[in-house]
Amino acid sequence: MIKRSVIFAASILVCAFAAPAARAEWPDHPIRWVVGFGPGGANDLIARFAAEGVGKRLGQTIVIENRPGAGAVIGTAFVAHSAPDGYTFLVGAASTITNSLLLKDLPYADSDLVPVGMIAVAPSTIIVHPSVPANNMAEFIAWAKAQGGKGVNWSTAGNGSTPEFVAEMIKEATGVSFTIIPYKSGGDGVNAVLANDVSATSEASIVVLPKIKAGLLKAIATTYEKRISIYPSITTTAEQGYPSVQIGHWAGLYAPRGTPEPIIQRMNAELQAALKTPEVQDKLTKTGIEPAGGSVADFVAFMKTERQRLSDLAAKMKVTKEK
């Protein structure tokens, strides 16, 4: 009788320890992906398309949380200081690797984030308000130079964002300087061009193509390495004689340092798998976005190359207050 009681008590003890272990299996509740820009920009839209596919594979909802401001510093810092439990991730952009080149006293260190995987690249397109008398790079540069002391206003998605690097690349290639007007998202920057508050910017295909097709904006060139597959009439900067003006709007996933390696590898695997599904590929490519994917190591290598490539340009940029 005593032996039976001991066995019964032991079984209860085993169950007591086993239950929390079962409940701890990741993920057991919704996950959030933080976007450091406002709704409507390239990173926000890419994040939403990818999150839907990854969430289905994980069996959990992935919630997109926008925390814009300070060139994505606010959203990045939030994730960097979040619990490394696999339930908070950052959808980063160029600013994730260049903010430390541009800004002093960041509220986080680059090492506070660990790369999880590349999501996608949206080709960037230089666009102007329809009133600007230019249809290609040569005409745009000539018009900009003719403005003299007035200068040309150029909107960006915040300090260190891709549009700001495009402006600096144009300056390096042609000598034309722009007055940089930073906003909190690519969508806001494009809206400023639509309202003719600024004359030009460079933004992701997913944001500008519908407005170009509607005649609300004029496309000057795409800064990507090749033409946009769904809109091949827009020629590249390289084809127009400006090969050094080249960059894309990329989006990649990061986690707080200390996030368990099995979670990082699982998230990477499900992200890659989701990007290969016809459903996600169709949503991305129809808007002019190229799914990227790749291993954690692939993403690390890409980040290293981009940081080296953009560091000289970043040293010449001036940080200005967002609109």
Side-chain angles (χ1 to χ4, degrees):
M1 189 72 179
I2 294 175
K3 183 177 180 182
R4 187 175 302 175
S5 298
V6 170
I7 294 173
F8 179 71
S11 66
I12 291 176
L13 190 61
V14 169
C15 289
F17 280 101
R23 288 197 298 270
E25 184 177 353
W26 182 88
D28 64 359
H29 61 270
I31 299 166
R32 62 180 165 182
W33 286 6
V34 175
V35 176
F37 304 95
N43 270 50
D44 175 71
L45 296 170
I46 290 172
R48 292 178 189 279
F49 288 151
E52 185 179 353
V54 175
K56 287 180 180 178
R57 296 190 60 83
L58 289 173
Q60 285 290 345
T61 300
I62 296 180
V63 179
I64 302 301
E65 185 173 308
N66 297 91
R67 287 179 174 264
V73 169
I74 291 174
T76 304
F78 176 81
V79 174
H81 299 305
S82 293
D85 57 6
Y87 290 95
T88 302
F89 293 82
L90 173 74
V91 180
S95 56
T96 312
I97 59 174
T98 59
N99 272 340
S100 60
L101 300 173
L102 291 166
L103 304 169
K104 296 180 180 179
D105 302 321
L106 281 173
Y108 62 89
D110 286 343
S111 59
D112 289 335
L113 295 167
V114 294
V116 177
M118 179 73 93
I119 303 174
V121 180
S124 186
T125 303
I126 299 171
I127 50 105
V128 298
H129 186 269
S131 64
V132 174
N135 296 289
N136 54 51
M137 284 294 290
E139 292 175 358
F140 176 59
I141 299 305
W143 172 78
K145 288 180 176 179
Q147 302 313 298
K150 293 191 302 181
V152 175
N153 288 341
W154 178 283
S155 60
T156 74
N159 292 312
S161 61
T162 301
E164 186 166 6
F165 276 95
V166 173
E168 190 65 29
M169 288 174 179
I170 293 174
K171 178 182 177 181
E172 289 288 300
T174 68
V176 170
S177 294
F178 300 100
T179 299
I180 301 299
I181 312 294
Y183 289 79
K184 291 186 177 181
S185 75
D188 290 341
V190 170
N191 286 337
V193 181
L194 287 167
N196 206 18
D197 292 334
V198 300
S199 297
T201 190
S202 182
E203 247 314 318
S205 51
I206 191 171
V207 180
V208 301
L209 283 181
K211 297 169 181 62
I212 292 170
K213 292 176 181 178
L216 300 174
L217 295 170
K218 279 200 293 186
I220 300 298
T222 174
T223 66
Y224 197 46
E225 59 191 21
K226 59 184 180 181
R227 297 192 188 193
I228 303 169
S229 57
I230 65 163
Y231 209 86
S233 61
I234 303 175
T235 53
T236 68
T237 44
E239 288 176 306
Q240 296 188 45
Y242 302 89
S244 62
V245 184
Q246 181 177 315
I247 194 170
H249 287 257
W250 58 268
L253 203 61
Y254 297 81
R257 181 180 58 190
T259 301
E261 186 63 23
I263 290 178
I264 291 174
Q265 293 298 333
R266 171 85 187 280
M267 179 62 86
N268 176 275
E270 300 301 356
L271 174 61
Q272 289 191 70
L275 290 172
K276 293 175 182 177
T277 63
E279 181 183 6
V280 175
Q281 283 198 348
D282 190 54
K283 287 182 178 180
L284 291 171
T285 56
K286 278 188 176 179
T287 56
I289 294 174
E290 303 294 333
S295 66
V296 174
D298 291 335
F299 191 29
V300 171
F302 169 81
M303 288 168 53
K304 181 179 179 180
T305 300
E306 279 296 275
R307 186 178 176 87
Q308 292 173 340
R309 186 173 80 92
L310 300 176
S311 59
D312 289 341
L313 288 171
K316 300 172 184 177
M317 291 176 168
K318 295 180 180 180
V319 175
T320 45
K321 189 176 180 180
E322 291 177 354
K323 295 282 283 184

